[in-house]
Amino acid sequence: MDLTLKIWRQKDSNAKGQMVDYKVTDISEHMSFLEMMDVLNEQLVNTGEEPVAFDHDCREGICGMCSMYINGEAHGPDRGITTCQLHMRMFKDGDTITIEPFRAAAFPVIKDLIVDRMAFERIQQAGGYISVNTSGNTQDANAIPISKHAADEAMDAATCIGCGACVATCKNSSAMLFVGAKVSQYALLPQGQVEAADRVKNMVAQMDLEGFGNCTNTGACEVECPKGISLDNIARMNRELMKANI
Amino acid sequence: MALDSKVPEGPIKDKWTNYKNHIDLVNPANKRNIDIIVVGTGLAGGSAAATLAELGYNVKAFAYQDSPRRAHSIAAQGGINAAKNYQGDGDSTYRLFYDTVKGGDYRSREANVYRLAEVSANIIDQCVAQGVPFARDYGGLLDNRSFGGVLVSRTFYAKGQTGQQLLLGAYSAMNRQIARGKIEMFNRHEMLDVVKVDGKARGIIARDLITGEIERHSAHAVVIATGGYGNVYFLSTNAMGSNATAAWKIHKKGAYFANPCYTQIHPTCIPRSGDYQSKLTLMSESLRNDGRIWVPKNMDDVLAIREGRKKPTDLSEEERDYYLERRYPAFGNLVPRDVASRAAKERCDAGYGVNATGEAVYLDFASAIDRYGREQAKIQNISNPSNEKVYELGKAIVEAKYGNLFQMYEKIVDENPYETPMMIYPATHYTMGGVWVDYNLMTTVPGLYCIGEANFSDHGANRLGASALMQGLADGYFVLPYTIGDYLSDDIRTGKIPTDTKEFDEVEKEVKDRIDFFVNNKGTKSVDYFHKKLGKVMWDKVGMARNEKGLKEAMVEIKAIREEFWKEVKVPGSANEMNTELEKAGRVADFLELGELFAKDALVREESCGGHFREESVELDGEQKGEAKRNDKDFAFVSAWEYKGEPADAVLHKEELEFKDIELKQRSYK
């Protein structure tokens, strides 16, 4: 199929960006979206133009690196996937596709479609861990029994890949699904209890400091989340925060 | 230089304990004055950085991604082995050690593997303490599953995302140390060379991938943990950015490179669909616990399926060739990866491949769905369940076990694997070769360490499932933190290593010259053009099956591609900005050298071992007729290559492998 791409080009974080039109031809419906981008970039390199910079790596939907905003949706049309798992069979011959970086004040553009998600790192560093020494002198793993239900629920929360689609898709640019997922994982496990109050307070404080907005329960984040992280995690985070503040 | 593996004396079960009891330690107050650079922050690098910081050293960690959480360890699916014997099925440290040495086709170092098995149980305890949500049974205890090449259930898992959860565990431990100021994290940085002072590794030259700035970083020791080089094939299951640069650059600065030809071909990948393909996707090997692998028995059916006249589900049991169950009755679908991969290639080469390219076999879950469905019906007291009910109950079980994998397959192939068998084909996955290290995990350059997939020591010629995560974490959490202290105990009075020295000047100039060459070369062809060309030679002539003629041709062809690359490569953009093409150019330049050494190593190894089938070395008769033939008399050694300029001129050093605790014998999975 032949397509028109409207892509955000921006030389660096200080430059002014703009949408630029490109044509690609002979796109197979079996290609992934990123393979289609590879075709475009090969074309650009061959004509001596700078290829479009975009973040990508594992191309298996797990590293959380890819971050395109396609036709007004984080990771594009189709549910429960990252951009690398989006396939061209979702598009039709002659389509015009708009491709932008994730948009949020806390995610400044580095170049073209690449944004800086360091704010997520700083939130994790504010408390997204269990303070255990990495010496290996820990108790036997089966000495901490965990109900299957709790383990499964913690796993569901822990499945978050930190891609930032929740932020990009939220009208408030809220990071609460991301933070809620991490808070939930540890809140559900016995290992995380000792420092639970400090964890949630510190992570939420850092989240606010980074300039993410608040949650107004619109639920767009859950819809767009490639890993199906549930809004329940935001509710749990709020409960944990309330508990911590009492 | 003679290779000294520094394996401690004494019985194998006491080596590690005795070693730890006798090494020199660094006083906590002195650790504060010692800097360590860790390059790569996946399972090995992340766990090492966190632990070294925990011990009190100052750590500088480097990742080419925006976050350590993106390291390709995250994509490991199936699980991690540990000799816990929670299942009471006869597991032990010795048995894990034995399985790993045998699975590696007796080409790994016994003492390292024993140590790995010994610390394996500790890894699980550590990760659980960190909050890694491993699967649990209804009693609240840890659940296990079985993997290829073993007869016990020792694999711990977190759905099909074990690598992700273990990496996030190490990452959280790192975050704790970053918050404490003990790790200085350099995201979006790439190491481009190592700096030696008086023969010792004392720093690195790195490029800030956002600004393009070239930076000098010094330390008392440097640790390389940058993973494998499977992308030398262009198509592999590795992440797009996985590269060999750090490992290759230290090789050029004196670190020997061991067994480059040992690459694991993983049997259960989604087949290639076209020339535009950028990478291959792995389906966890755990699927072979329940999936049965087959191709049609009759060529007529193969053609009918390829032409769409028949569906795989139209074929009866009798019309299918479950070739693994037929050839290897004891292990069946759970034979090790090398055996399963070769058997798939054998059937496809014989013309029985089931997709358009002829490079696919079926992985079928119909029997499992039926079996689980009937079991569930019994449990739920449903007498005479209908076929639909059995299917529904069975599907729910299969979905609970492998749901995310099935979903991933459906997204890529656009077929529902519950309804129709999956198609799979072998693909390059993990590299067992890597930088040569001694028992301390130190390379042939003093103060330069190499851990995880980037080194060579533990997996031999083939890696068993669920053992890569184990090695990465064992090296990072439990081995390196001890062994590096022994070396650093001599450095407590050294003081800060200055970076304004001629050694740093020289290496920085080399790095800058190379970058300047790329951005100024007015070539005509893209970096990917050369990478794909290299990949094709590698797969066709240095892939799963090799022969002398093909390997010699490959060496000549790779050299020619390299020469063309340096004349014709084109890199748009400049050096002083984010430039993804420039990053790729440097990496492909290294692959073009490594690929040739890879072929040279394969040429020297005139035996079949692991996943490496040397066509001239095959069993001619007996029970093993047609199987790969290993030659212990002449090839029970590690080939460690010393750099001498052109890859073809590399000099071979042999580390003879001694097997004192395990008898060398033919692997049989019959």
Side-chain angles (χ1 to χ4, degrees), chain B residues 333-369:
Chain B
N333 293 296
L334 283 176
V335 291
R337 295 173 172 185
D338 59 328
V339 178
S341 296
R342 245 189 343 267
K345 184 171 190 292
E346 188 277 326
R347 280 295 79 196
C348 290
D349 287 350
Y352 289 88
V354 293
N355 67 349
T357 61
E359 291 183 340
V361 299
Y362 286 126
L363 177 62
D364 196 336
F365 290 86
S367 310
I369 290 174

Coordinates of all heavy atoms in Angstrom, one line a residue, chain B residues 333-369:
Chain B
N333 N 9.4 -33.6 23.2 CA 9.4 -32.2 22.8 C 10.3 -31.3 23.7 O 10.5 -30.2 23.4 CB 7.9 -31.6 22.8 CG 7.1 -32.3 21.7 OD1 7.4 -32.1 20.5 ND2 6.1 -33.1 22.1
L334 N 10.8 -31.9 24.8 CA 11.6 -31.2 25.7 C 13.1 -31.4 25.5 O 13.9 -31.2 26.5 CB 11.2 -31.4 27.1 CG 9.9 -30.7 27.6 CD1 9.5 -31.1 29.0 CD2 10.1 -29.2 27.5
V335 N 13.5 -31.8 24.4 CA 15.0 -32.0 24.1 C 15.6 -30.6 24.2 O 14.9 -29.6 24.1 CB 15.3 -32.6 22.7 CG1 14.9 -34.0 22.7 CG2 14.6 -31.8 21.6
P336 N 16.9 -30.5 24.4 CA 17.5 -29.1 24.5 C 17.4 -28.4 23.2 O 17.1 -28.9 22.2 CB 19.0 -29.5 24.8 CG 19.0 -30.8 25.3 CD 17.9 -31.5 24.7
R337 N 17.7 -27.1 23.3 CA 17.4 -26.2 22.2 C 18.2 -26.5 20.9 O 17.7 -26.4 19.8 CB 17.9 -24.8 22.6 CG 17.0 -24.3 23.7 CD 17.5 -23.0 24.3 NE 16.4 -22.5 25.2 CZ 16.4 -21.4 25.8 NH1 17.4 -20.5 25.7 NH2 15.4 -21.0 26.7
D338 N 19.4 -26.9 21.1 CA 20.2 -27.2 19.9 C 19.6 -28.4 19.2 O 19.5 -28.4 17.9 CB 21.7 -27.5 20.2 CG 21.9 -28.6 21.2 OD1 21.0 -28.8 22.1 OD2 23.0 -29.3 21.1
V339 N 19.2 -29.4 19.9 CA 18.7 -30.7 19.3 C 17.3 -30.3 18.6 O 17.1 -30.7 17.4 CB 18.5 -31.8 20.4 CG1 17.9 -33.0 19.7 CG2 19.8 -32.1 21.0
A340 N 16.5 -29.6 19.3 CA 15.2 -29.2 18.7 C 15.4 -28.3 17.5 O 14.6 -28.5 16.5 CB 14.4 -28.4 19.7
S341 N 16.3 -27.4 17.5 CA 16.6 -26.5 16.4 C 17.0 -27.3 15.1 O 16.6 -27.1 14.0 CB 17.6 -25.4 16.7 OG 17.1 -24.6 17.7
R342 N 18.0 -28.2 15.4 CA 18.6 -28.9 14.3 C 17.5 -29.8 13.7 O 17.5 -30.0 12.4 CB 19.8 -29.7 14.7 CG 21.0 -29.2 14.1 CD 22.3 -30.1 14.3 NE 22.2 -31.0 15.4 CZ 22.7 -30.8 16.6 NH1 23.2 -29.6 16.9 NH2 22.6 -31.7 17.5
A343 N 16.7 -30.4 14.5 CA 15.7 -31.3 14.0 C 14.7 -30.6 13.2 O 14.2 -31.1 12.1 CB 15.0 -32.0 15.2
A344 N 14.3 -29.3 13.5 CA 13.4 -28.5 12.8 C 14.0 -28.2 11.4 O 13.3 -28.3 10.4 CB 13.0 -27.3 13.5
K345 N 15.3 -27.8 11.4 CA 15.9 -27.5 10.2 C 16.0 -28.7 9.3 O 15.8 -28.6 8.1 CB 17.3 -26.9 10.5 CG 18.0 -26.4 9.2 CD 19.3 -25.7 9.6 CE 19.9 -25.0 8.3 NZ 20.4 -25.9 7.3
E346 N 16.3 -29.9 9.9 CA 16.4 -31.1 9.1 C 15.1 -31.4 8.4 O 15.1 -31.6 7.2 CB 16.8 -32.2 10.0 CG 17.1 -33.6 9.4 CD 15.9 -34.4 9.0 OE1 14.9 -34.4 9.7 OE2 16.0 -35.1 7.9
R347 N 14.0 -31.2 9.1 CA 12.7 -31.5 8.4 C 12.4 -30.4 7.3 O 11.9 -30.8 6.2 CB 11.5 -31.5 9.5 CG 11.3 -32.7 10.3 CD 10.9 -33.9 9.5 NE 12.0 -34.6 8.8 CZ 11.9 -35.5 7.8 NH1 10.7 -35.8 7.4 NH2 12.9 -36.0 7.2
C348 N 12.7 -29.2 7.6 CA 12.4 -28.1 6.6 C 13.4 -28.3 5.4 O 12.9 -28.1 4.3 CB 12.6 -26.7 7.2 SG 11.2 -26.4 8.4
D349 N 14.6 -28.6 5.7 CA 15.6 -28.8 4.6 C 15.1 -30.0 3.7 O 15.3 -30.0 2.5 CB 17.0 -29.1 5.1 CG 17.6 -27.8 5.6 OD1 17.1 -26.7 5.4 OD2 18.7 -27.9 6.2
A350 N 14.4 -30.9 4.3 CA 13.9 -32.1 3.6 C 12.6 -31.7 2.8 O 12.0 -32.6 2.2 CB 13.7 -33.3 4.5
G351 N 12.2 -30.5 3.0 CA 11.0 -30.0 2.2 C 9.7 -30.0 2.9 O 8.7 -29.8 2.3
Y352 N 9.7 -30.3 4.3 CA 8.4 -30.5 5.0 C 8.0 -29.2 5.7 O 7.1 -29.2 6.5 CB 8.5 -31.6 6.0 CG 8.6 -33.0 5.3 CD1 9.8 -33.5 4.9 CD2 7.4 -33.7 5.0 CE1 9.8 -34.8 4.2 CE2 7.4 -34.9 4.3 CZ 8.6 -35.4 3.9 OH 8.6 -36.6 3.2
G353 N 8.7 -28.1 5.4 CA 8.3 -26.8 6.1 C 6.8 -26.4 5.7 O 6.4 -26.6 4.5
V354 N 6.1 -25.8 6.6 CA 4.7 -25.7 6.4 C 4.2 -24.3 5.9 O 3.0 -24.1 5.7 CB 3.9 -26.1 7.6 CG1 4.0 -27.6 7.8 CG2 4.3 -25.3 8.8
N355 N 5.1 -23.3 5.8 CA 4.7 -22.0 5.4 C 5.2 -21.7 4.0 O 5.9 -22.5 3.4 CB 5.0 -20.9 6.4 CG 6.5 -20.7 6.5 OD1 7.3 -21.5 5.9 ND2 6.9 -19.6 7.1
A356 N 4.9 -20.5 3.5 CA 5.3 -20.1 2.1 C 6.8 -20.2 1.9 O 7.3 -20.6 0.9 CB 4.8 -18.7 1.8
T357 N 7.6 -19.8 2.9 CA 9.1 -19.8 2.7 C 9.7 -21.2 3.0 O 10.8 -21.5 2.7 CB 9.8 -18.9 3.7 OG1 9.5 -19.3 5.0 CG2 9.3 -17.4 3.5
G358 N 8.8 -22.1 3.4 CA 9.3 -23.5 3.7 C 10.1 -23.6 5.0 O 10.8 -24.6 5.2
E359 N 10.0 -22.5 5.8 CA 10.9 -22.5 7.0 C 9.9 -22.3 8.2 O 9.9 -21.3 8.9 CB 11.9 -21.3 6.9 CG 12.9 -21.6 5.9 CD 14.0 -20.4 5.9 OE1 13.7 -19.3 6.4 OE2 15.1 -20.7 5.3
A360 N 9.2 -23.4 8.5 CA 8.3 -23.4 9.6 C 7.8 -24.8 9.9 O 7.6 -25.6 9.0 CB 7.1 -22.4 9.4
V361 N 7.7 -25.1 11.2 CA 7.1 -26.3 11.7 C 5.9 -25.9 12.6 O 5.8 -24.8 13.1 CB 8.1 -27.2 12.4 CG1 9.2 -27.6 11.5 CG2 8.6 -26.6 13.7
Y362 N 5.1 -26.9 12.9 CA 3.9 -26.6 13.8 C 4.3 -26.9 15.3 O 4.9 -27.8 15.6 CB 2.7 -27.4 13.5 CG 2.0 -27.0 12.2 CD1 1.8 -27.8 11.1 CD2 1.6 -25.6 12.1 CE1 1.2 -27.4 10.0 CE2 1.0 -25.2 10.9 CZ 0.8 -26.1 9.9 OH 0.2 -25.6 8.7
L363 N 3.7 -26.0 16.1 CA 3.7 -26.2 17.6 C 2.3 -26.2 18.0 O 1.6 -25.2 17.9 CB 4.5 -25.1 18.3 CG 4.6 -25.1 19.8 CD1 5.3 -26.3 20.3 CD2 5.3 -23.8 20.3
D364 N 1.8 -27.4 18.4 CA 0.4 -27.6 18.5 C -0.1 -27.8 19.9 O 0.5 -28.6 20.7 CB 0.1 -28.9 17.7 CG -1.4 -29.1 17.4 OD1 -2.2 -28.5 18.1 OD2 -1.7 -29.8 16.4
F365 N -1.1 -27.1 20.3 CA -1.6 -27.2 21.7 C -2.9 -28.0 21.8 O -3.5 -28.0 22.9 CB -1.8 -25.8 22.3 CG -0.5 -25.1 22.5 CD1 0.2 -24.4 21.5 CD2 0.2 -25.3 23.7 CE1 1.4 -23.9 21.7 CE2 1.4 -24.7 23.9 CZ 2.1 -24.1 22.9
A366 N -3.4 -28.5 20.7 CA -4.7 -29.2 20.8 C -4.7 -30.3 21.8 O -5.6 -30.5 22.6 CB -5.0 -29.8 19.4
S367 N -3.6 -31.1 21.8 CA -3.6 -32.3 22.8 C -3.6 -31.7 24.2 O -4.3 -32.3 25.1 CB -2.3 -33.1 22.6 OG -2.1 -33.5 21.3
A368 N -2.9 -30.6 24.4 CA -2.8 -30.1 25.8 C -4.2 -29.5 26.2 O -4.6 -29.7 27.4 CB -1.8 -29.0 25.9
I369 N -4.8 -28.9 25.3 CA -6.1 -28.3 25.7 C -7.1 -29.4 26.0 O -7.8 -29.4 27.0 CB -6.7 -27.4 24.5 CG1 -5.9 -26.2 24.4 CG2 -8.2 -27.1 24.7 CD1 -6.2 -25.3 23.2

